[in-house]
Amino acid sequence: MKTNNFTKGMGFGILITVIGATCWGISGCFGQFLFQEKNITAEWLVAIRLLGAGLLLILMGFFRDGKNNISIFKNKKDTLNLVIFSFLGMLVCQYTYFAAIQYSNAGTATVLQSTSSIMILIVVCIKEKRIPNIVESIAIIGASIGVFLLATHGNINSLVITKLALIYGIGAAIGAVLYNMLATDILNKHGVYQVVGYGMIISGVAFNLLIRPWNYDISFDFEMIVALLGVIIIGTAISFSCYLKGVSIIGPLTGSILGNIEPVVAIIVAVLFLNSSFDFIDFLGFTFILGTVIFLSLKRKDE
């Protein structure tokens, strides 16, 4: 068999990585639709999504790995790290992201969350007890300018998005930092289906018991069910499967660069289908944030 066939080549890897990231962007827009049109709250959606998506990933893990899909529970340290990740990583990341969408829109929330790359850079510099180099400094300054433009439109005395949107948007970025840093070791050891799947179930059970979504007055019509399945299936099963398969072919660094298509997709879908409106200065802010994240990623690739 030829080693350069499409299904093993870079072209295929790039394609399905982009599909995976695109599905994440679309998933956020499904969430925005539920908030705008169906009066769903972020608390209710996150509770249902964590349990539904977690069960879906676990089933996929058993289908793929059989009994090995419970190996994470055979090590007490890994189990403890999983529980910590479930609450400080998974739950914080999921809730702040969807809350940011509820109080703004999918595009703005996803772009703000993407500043997590810059936050991780700052954490690394602190841990290594060094100041950022020139490239890193440009990225930090560029992202900061982007957030400032999004939040104020250049007027330091006023906010053009709500305080809750800004707080949850930055919170989503912090959540993504915690998600990535807490999951790294156990992900490398046990894989995404166990770590993300069980992480969603553990935090999902606790969050459901806390907010009791069965007490909410929810009207389940066709549109609502389709959007909810979009958040769970498109935003979980398809996105994770495609993205991770693509990254296994093209590598994590290239994958992270291509992953920046997620906020672009979220912005386009929000504008075309959800009546979200952005001013020129909003797009300028998006450009500063996404541009500096991509710039930083490309420079790391060259090193």
Side-chain angles (χ1 to χ4, degrees), residues 40-62:
I40 302 298
T41 66
E43 291 81 7
W44 187 92
L45 180 59
V46 170
I48 300 302
R49 194 221 178 190
L50 285 173
L51 271 187
L55 288 171
L56 188 57
L57 286 176
I58 290 303
L59 289 174
M60 293 170 66
F62 277 112

Side-chain angles (χ1 to χ4, degrees), residues 23 30 44 65 76 97 123 133 136-137 153 165 170 172 178 194 212 222 263 266 273 290 297 302:
C23 287
F30 276 123
W44 187 92
D65 301 320
K76 291 182 179 179
Y97 172 62
V123 171
N133 60 37
E136 293 167 342
S137 298
H153 279 189
I170 298 301
L178 292 171
Q194 289 190 68
R212 301 178 182 181
F222 178 75
F273 299 102
L290 297 179
S297 300
D302 293 336

Side-chain angles (χ1 to χ4, degrees), residues 114-232:
S114 71
T115 60
S116 60
S117 298
I118 306 301
M119 292 184 183
I120 291 174
L121 165 63
I122 295 172
V123 171
V124 169
C125 289
I126 292 173
K127 290 178 67 175
E128 295 179 354
K129 298 179 180 179
R130 66 176 178 85
I131 61 174
N133 60 37
I134 294 177
V135 170
E136 293 167 342
S137 298
I138 292 173
I140 293 170
I141 294 170
S144 300
I145 292 173
V147 172
F148 173 75
L149 291 176
L150 278 181
T152 69
H153 279 189
N155 183 354
I156 197 171
N157 295 314
S158 66
L159 286 175
V160 294
I161 61 175
T162 67
K163 290 182 180 179
L164 286 176
L166 182 59
I167 290 170
Y168 280 120
I170 298 301
I174 295 172
V177 172
L178 292 171
Y179 180 100
N180 283 281
M181 299 189 75
L182 292 173
T184 300
D185 291 340
I186 49 178
L187 269 175
N188 291 335
K189 190 174 180 180
H190 297 285
V192 68
Y193 294 109
Q194 289 190 68
V195 176
V196 177
Y198 288 120
M200 283 184 165
I201 289 177
I202 292 170
S203 57
V205 168
F207 201 50
N208 273 269
L209 292 174
L210 176 65
I211 74 151
R212 301 178 182 181
W214 51 86
N215 289 334
Y216 283 61
D217 184 16
I218 303 296
S219 177
F220 286 90
D221 57 20
F222 178 75
E223 289 182 340
M224 189 272 190
I225 293 172
V226 169
L228 183 60
L229 291 176
V231 171
I232 294 174

Side-chain angles (χ1 to χ4, degrees), residues 71-72 75-83 186 189-190:
S71 63
I72 194 169
N75 183 296
K76 291 182 179 179
K77 182 179 179 181
D78 290 346
T79 302
L80 176 61
N81 287 336
L82 174 65
V83 173
I186 49 178
K189 190 174 180 180
H190 297 285

